Amino acid sequence: MDYKELCFQVQNIAHSTGNFIRGEQKKISEKNIEIKSVASLVTYVDKTAEKQIVNALKELLPEAGFVAEEGTAKSNNEKYTWFVDPLDGTTNYLHGLAPHSVSIALAEGDELVLGVVYEIGADEMFYSWKGGPAYCNEVIIETAKRSKSEDTLIATGFPYYDFDKVDEYISAMKELMQSTRGIRRFGSAAVDLCYVAAGRFDAFYEHALHAWDVAAGVFILQQAGGKTTDFSGGDNWLFGGEIVSASDAYFPEFYGIINKHLG
C-alpha cells in the first residue's frame, strides 16, 4: 500500500466535497434541518457529502469497510476501515460560523495509517500518512514546545448527549481557566486536534465524541509529535468517547489535570 499516494487522492476527495459543502451553505433553510437531539443536527448536505466521499473511497479501496457518521456504509471486520465525518461542525455550518471540516481517516487493522482534515472556511488541508510528517497546505507542521500550563492555550468541546460527567468537566475547566492562557471551544473536534498538531493550541480534551470525530485529527496530531490517551491514560480514545491530546512537551502536566477531575 502506497500510503503517501493514497493520502493525496483522499485530499482531492476531501477538497471536492468541501467545495460542495461551501456551495450549499447559503441554500440551507430551517426546513432542511433534521434534529438528532437538541444540539445534534443533520441536513441533506451532511448526507450527500458522505455519499460522495464513500463512493469515491470505494473506488480507491474497494475492499475497505466504513465507520461513517450518517451510516452510508458499514464495517464488517475488513482489513481496512475508513472513518468518515463528512461535516464536522454542522451546527457551526448552519449558523454561518467557522470552523467546519471534512474528516477522513484510514485504519489497517487496529492501526491508523492515514488522516486528512479539510477546514473549509480557511481552505486549510491538514494531512499525514504512515511514515510521513504532518502537513498543512504542503508545509510541515509540528506541535508546540511549551511545557507549562501558564504558557498554554487549551481547546475543548462540550458534550451534547452524555451529561453524566458535566460537574467533573466544569471542575477541570475551572482549573484550566485559572492556570492557562485560556480555553477555546471552536465546535469541530477534528479541527481542534489539527490545531494542536500545528502548535496553535497546546492541548485538547473532550467527552462524548465518536470515532469519526477524532480518528483523522488524532493521527495527524501523533505524526506531528503529539500524544493521545483516554481520561484514565489508556488507549480507548477512538471508541471510548474520552480523549486527552497534547503536545509531547505539555502532555504530562495536562494529562495530570484532566485525570484528576475526569479519570
Side-chain angles (χ1 to χ4, degrees), residues 6-248:
L6 187 62
C7 184
F8 286 114
Q9 293 173 311
V10 174
Q11 288 174 60
N12 289 335
I13 294 169
H15 193 268
S16 176
T17 304
N19 286 340
F20 163 73
I21 292 169
R22 185 186 298 111
E24 294 297 308
Q25 190 167 23
K26 292 185 179 179
K27 303 176 186 178
I28 292 283
S29 66
E30 289 291 328
K31 67 181 181 181
N32 301 127
I33 301 173
E34 298 176 31
I35 309 296
K36 295 181 181 179
S37 65
V38 173
S40 182
L41 312 175
V42 66
T43 73
Y44 75 90
V45 176
D46 304 68
K47 294 179 179 180
T48 303
E50 184 168 292
K51 289 177 183 177
Q52 291 178 0
I53 294 168
V54 167
N55 289 338
L57 293 176
K58 283 181 176 179
E59 292 187 13
L60 289 182
L61 206 59
E63 66 270 33
F66 289 84
V67 176
E69 180 171 13
E70 307 307 332
T72 301
K74 302 293 185 180
S75 175
N76 189 29
N77 297 316
E78 292 88 351
K79 179 180 180 181
Y80 297 100
T81 304
W82 293 106
F83 294 86
V84 177
D85 192 339
L87 180 49
D88 187 46
T90 298
T91 302
N92 282 355
Y93 175 73
L94 293 173
H95 285 265
L97 299 172
H100 44 271
S101 62
V102 177
S103 178
I104 304 170
L106 178 66
E108 181 178 354
D110 295 329
E111 180 188 13
L112 289 168
V113 294
L114 180 155
V116 171
V117 175
Y118 178 48
E119 203 290 285
I120 298 166
D123 191 27
E124 287 190 322
M125 187 74 71
F126 297 89
Y127 57 96
S128 188
W129 59 88
K130 182 180 178 180
Y135 291 86
C136 176
N137 290 354
E138 302 181 5
V139 177
I140 293 176
I141 56 175
E142 294 180 342
T143 56
K145 306 305 181 188
R146 298 174 287 266
S147 60
K148 299 297 183 182
S149 287
E150 63 258 30
D151 301 320
T152 61
L153 186 64
I154 310 302
T156 191
F158 303 144
Y160 58 87
Y161 71 91
D162 182 351
F163 303 104
D164 290 346
K165 292 187 176 183
V166 167
D167 290 342
E168 294 88 343
Y169 208 83
I170 292 173
S171 178
M173 287 183 65
K174 181 178 179 180
E175 179 167 348
L176 290 168
M177 287 177 187
Q178 294 172 335
S179 62
T180 69
R181 290 181 176 176
I183 303 174
R184 301 290 183 266
R185 197 275 192 180
F186 279 8
S188 170
V191 172
D192 287 332
L193 287 160
C194 289
Y195 285 2
V196 178
R200 302 173 187 178
F201 291 137
D202 296 274
F204 170 75
Y205 73 104
E206 191 166 347
H207 160 56
L209 288 170
H210 300 284
W212 54 74
D213 295 314
V214 300
V218 167
F219 178 75
I220 293 166
L221 169 63
Q222 290 174 339
Q223 298 298 100
K227 185 175 180 180
T228 294
T229 69
D230 57 32
F231 290 164
S232 299
D235 60 3
N236 191 28
W237 54 266
L238 185 58
F239 294 104
E242 302 177 352
I243 188 167
V244 184
S245 293
S247 65
D248 189 61

